[in-house]
Amino acid sequence: MATARGLRHLLTSSRWRRRGGEAPPSRALAAVVPGVSQVDNNSDFLGKKPHRQHPGILRLPCVEVPQALAAAAQFLLLEYSMPNVEKKVQALTNYLWSRRLPVEPEELRRRAVHLEEKFLENPDLLQVEEKLREAVLRALRKTTYHWQELSYNESLSLVYMAARLDGGFAAVSRAFHEIRARVPEFQPQTLMDFGSGTGSVTWAAHSAWGQSLREYMCVDSSAAMLVLAEKLLKGGSESGEPYVPGVFFRQFLPVSPKVQFDVVVSAFSLSELPSKADRTELVQTLWRKTSHFLILVENGTKAGHCLLMDARDLVLKGKEKSPLDPRPGFVFAPCPHELPCPQLTASKPLACSFSQAYHCIPFSWNKKKQKEEKFSMVILARGSPEEANRWPRITQPILKRPRHVHCHLCCPDGHIQHAVITARQHGRDLYRCARVSSWGDLLPVITPSESELPPSLPEDPPGN
């Protein structure tokens, strides 16, 4: 009976309804929950497509920056003739990857009070107020992360370009691909990139939606970065024709509350702000500027993931409503829910990160032709959660073993589940779909709770 109820739930879910209200024939995939583990292999879920092209596949092939962008970057680096550029690139890469969040003033005061109390507990030391203050400050310097704001001049901007242009392009391209694959009818006309840096978001957006986008607004506080981004668009010169038309550069966000953009992006910029208050103000402003999708991307570290989850919760729980756009927000990706992140609430918190392969720009020091960009992202959308499918997200690389597959799934109920999928227990189609899926994909399976299952059909009376 549980199997029949599970299949009815699959066939009556909004994901499979036709516009006329009739459920299409589908090869229904099993719910990975006890009691609902069979599939209907007689119906047609995939149509004529093979399992390796099931609807949850979101992997993006190895990304390559446009040839014009790679050529312009190489030209500018050669023109500047920077000494020891390889060492500077490696040093900046290591610094950005190991960067942590700045300590908030309240936390700093709490630590200072704790150290003062600890020092006063020692009766053998006569603590004079001046000496006590010096001891506390000395201990704080040894135990506190010293966050510093990066000031991008012409030289540092070029080093950042050499270190992060291709990797940043790959991460943002993966975020755009998520929207294109799941909402192919979405054709944005305007885009704003906060913390635009070298302009990699503009190039990635042009590759994804170049046919429809007519305005790109690049905002960055560094004048040197804006000049560099404009040169890259013009092939390395200041007077050439821009490769992407309709790009505008600003050092400050548009003031008018009426100005909205179809897509708003902030890639690797939240970590550049000195305090939580600044980040809160920025996220609220970016959300007000968002008409459809707000895309936030950070390094695939715990610090980067925590930044994104704070921003996510701020938008979902925010009391501030835009008078011009009262539509609520929901998580489009990667979370299949609006509940607290199970990766952070686990006994051993982990970063929810993804990986995207990309072809390196052929700088002289790049020995590898391909690399992997590890990043965290969150895509927030205006509207209702019912507008997006709620399939579990694969959060780790899949382990393929003989006749079974190990999948770590972030499920719509807000929990992480380690599912061991076999053809015998879950059906041939779910097993094959799981086997060809990869890290970051959605597994096309619905996990209803017992309370959500529709009532069972009445059995025919005896004798009929």
Side-chain angles (χ1 to χ4, degrees), residues 104-172:
E104 296 296 322
E106 296 79 5
E107 174 64 16
L108 199 59
R109 283 193 290 269
R110 188 193 66 80
R111 293 182 185 182
V113 170
H114 175 73
L115 287 170
E116 184 177 352
E117 293 175 350
K118 187 175 180 180
F119 288 141
L120 289 174
E121 288 176 359
N122 192 342
D124 300 331
L125 299 176
L126 180 62
Q127 299 290 358
V128 183
E129 184 177 354
E130 187 66 27
K131 291 184 177 181
L132 180 61
R133 186 182 300 111
E134 291 179 0
V136 170
L137 290 175
R138 190 162 51 248
L140 282 176
R141 291 191 192 100
K142 292 180 179 180
T143 58
T144 303
Y145 176 73
H146 299 284
W147 186 90
Q148 289 184 333
E149 184 177 0
L150 287 174
S151 179
Y152 287 98
N153 53 22
E154 183 181 10
S155 176
L156 187 57
S157 297
L158 280 168
V159 174
Y160 184 87
M161 176 198 73
R164 297 291 304 133
L165 181 59
D166 43 12
F169 178 89
V172 176

Side-chain angles (χ1 to χ4, degrees), residues 396-436:
Q396 295 182 26
I398 283 184
L399 298 178
K400 301 176 184 178
R401 297 292 184 264
R403 295 187 295 278
H404 67 279
V405 182
H406 292 261
C407 298
H408 290 82
L409 306 173
C410 182
C411 298
D413 61 0
H415 292 88
I416 292 290
Q417 181 177 352
H418 177 194
V420 181
I421 299 175
T422 65
R424 174 175 293 183
Q425 183 177 0
H426 300 99
R428 178 178 60 91
D429 295 308
L430 178 57
Y431 170 70
R432 288 190 177 182
C433 285
R435 198 164 185 87
V436 298

Side-chain angles (χ1 to χ4, degrees), residues 62 82 314:
C62 192
M82 183 183 302
L314 183 66

Side-chain angles (χ1 to χ4, degrees), residues 86-111:
E86 181 179 357
K87 291 183 179 179
K88 293 178 181 178
V89 166
Q90 189 61 50
L92 181 61
T93 301
N94 294 340
Y95 175 74
L96 292 174
W97 186 254
S98 62
R99 208 175 190 198
R100 290 184 282 171
L101 300 182
V103 180
E104 296 296 322
E106 296 79 5
E107 174 64 16
L108 199 59
R109 283 193 290 269
R110 188 193 66 80
R111 293 182 185 182

Side-chain angles (χ1 to χ4, degrees), residues 194 217-224 226 249-254:
F194 177 81
M217 181 67 70
C218 297
V219 182
D220 200 294
S221 60
S222 170
L226 294 178
F249 297 95
R250 299 181 56 136
Q251 282 191 273
F252 304 99
L253 286 165

